Amino acid sequence: MKKIGFIGLGIMGKPMAKNLLKAGYPMVAYDVRPEPLAEVVSAGAAAGHSARDVASRSEVIITMLPDSPDVEAAALGSGGIIEGANPGSILVDMSSIAPRVSREISARLAGKGVAMLDAPVSGGEPKAIEGTLAIMVGGPQEAFDQVKDLLGVMGASVLRVGEIGSGNTAKLANQIIVALNIAAVSEALVLATKAGVNPEAVFQAIRGGLAGSTVLEAKVPMMLAGNFKPGFRIELHIKDLVNALKTATELDVPIPLAGRVLEIMQALREEGRARDDHSGIVQFYEKLAKVEVRR
Ligand code: NAD
């Protein structure tokens, strides 16, 4: 079994690392925060001291960090992966970042004989815990073949979609669909509530029809309970939509609806709700309509 270095033990990375440990993979782990590192070490990992240290002690390095600058710093910065990685090792970046940045980091690592895959995930914390994420991968087929089995420990579906950057392009598509879907659900349930119809009854009535979706099933119960504990934070979804808009600008592609939902999320951030789950988008509509979608 390949020796894994795992960097970034947050909401997603911690359960993903634990699943790899459970499957028997030897691991060196690292996070800038000591608490999750101690937890993963008590689950069987060795403690790494920096990204460089982790890279020097592993064959496959996995990163699960918030955004493009974090991955750039961990991969290419001082004390970073590039300084420690052994030729022939593979970086699998599972963070959701800008596709252009994946391509740039990959080109720099290639000079050290290190291959890179961008392999962002969908499914959120519950599927990270279950090991049933959807993993979308970009990068060389040969590197993909070497890590497909270990990615299968974390995901129910592991698909290579193309060359480096394609995984994150697929993820941007995913994030546009999820954001617009949550906004549509919010808009619809606030309207129903204001009209005097029980939103839970509306949910039950429509979930088996064409409006049914994974978003509806995962997020409506949170809205009905007024529980916006993340899950997936609004600030991270803002990051994804900004990356989508930057990519769309580079390609001259209009994505007007993503822009509108980004503005809704930015308004919520101004109200101090950046760390709420993205189901908290409903609060934007609730405030304007002066109703709450609750059971
Ligand atoms: P998180 O903020 O909970 O975790 C990030 C972790 O990285 C933190 O523990 C942080 O301390 C650590 N970190 C930051 N910089 C570091 C560095 N330089 N070196 C070492 N550790 C560092 O975020 P998350 O929710 O786990 O998300 C991680 C990525 O996965 C993001 O790109 C996010 O968009 C994506 N994602 C999240 C979800 C979700 O539901 N939370 C779902 C799918 C994809």
Side-chain angles (χ1 to χ4, degrees):
M1 276 181 156
K2 289 199 184 301
K3 186 158 189 190
I4 297 177
F6 207 114
I7 302 169
L9 306 167
I11 290 178
M12 298 296 284
K14 189 170 66 178
M16 290 160 68
K18 284 183 171 177
N19 283 335
L20 287 167
L21 286 166
K22 252 186 249 157
Y25 283 94
M27 180 182 292
V28 189
Y30 177 64
D31 195 291
V32 287
R33 295 182 302 132
E35 306 83 23
L37 177 57
E39 199 178 322
V40 173
V41 166
S42 69
H49 306 294
S50 64
R52 173 178 54 202
D53 176 44
V54 167
S56 70
R57 296 160 68 187
S58 23
E59 297 167 88
V60 175
I61 307 136
I62 297 176
T63 42
M64 193 50 166
L65 301 166
D67 195 4
S68 308
D70 307 301
V71 179
E72 270 177 324
L76 307 177
S78 149
I81 292 165
I82 197 163
E83 293 177 359
N86 303 302
S89 58
I90 301 172
L91 169 62
V92 184
D93 177 36
M94 303 190 75
S95 330
S96 307
I97 69 170
R100 185 179 46 74
V101 175
S102 300
R103 292 192 290 270
E104 286 167 8
I105 296 173
S106 165
R108 288 279 303 280
L109 289 175
K112 283 264 307 192
V114 176
M116 176 170 167
L117 298 166
D118 59 320
V121 309
S122 178
E125 188 185 22
K127 294 196 174 195
I129 293 169
E130 284 170 16
T132 55
L133 293 163
I135 306 179
M136 40 214 104
V137 189
Q141 182 73 47
E142 198 198 355
F144 177 70
D145 291 341
Q146 291 186 58
V147 300
K148 190 165 185 255
D149 285 353
L150 75 88
L151 292 179
V153 170
M154 297 177 279
S157 115
V158 181
L159 271 181
R160 180 179 175 272
V161 287
E163 296 308 327
I164 186 76
S166 325
N168 272 310
T169 302
K171 176 67 182 178
L172 290 183
N174 183 86
Q175 292 306 82
I176 291 171
I177 293 167
V178 171
L180 267 55
N181 205 335
I182 296 176
V185 169
S186 302
E187 217 165 279
L189 292 187
V190 164
L191 174 65
T193 307
K194 189 83 183 185
V197 180
N198 181 336
E200 176 146 37
V202 174
F203 169 53
Q204 296 299 347
I206 67 175
R207 62 197 290 209
L210 191 54
S213 69
T214 310
V215 160
L216 198 77
E217 294 299 322
K219 301 302 176 184
V220 173
M222 295 180 76
M223 294 175 187
L224 291 173
N227 164 26
F228 303 118
K229 178 177 175 287
F232 188 67
R233 298 191 301 274
I234 286 173
E235 64 187 3
L236 285 178
H237 215 145
I238 288 176
K239 171 262 305 181
D240 289 331
L241 291 185
V242 167
N243 283 336
L245 282 161
K246 277 188 194 156
T247 305
T249 306
E250 285 163 17
L251 297 171
D252 279 333
V253 175
I255 50 169
L257 298 182
R260 296 302 289 271
V261 180
L262 173 61
E263 287 175 4
I264 290 171
M265 292 187 191
Q266 285 169 331
L268 287 164
R269 180 171 62 188
E270 283 306 300
E271 297 209 331
R273 305 217 164 272
R275 299 182 73 78
D276 282 4
D277 186 74
H278 53 175
S279 55
I281 286 174
V282 74
Q283 297 166 108
F284 175 85
Y285 293 95
E286 288 175 339
K287 190 172 179 196
L288 292 179
K290 299 190 179 60
V291 287
E292 285 195 339
V293 174
R294 298 291 179 273
R295 50 170 68 87

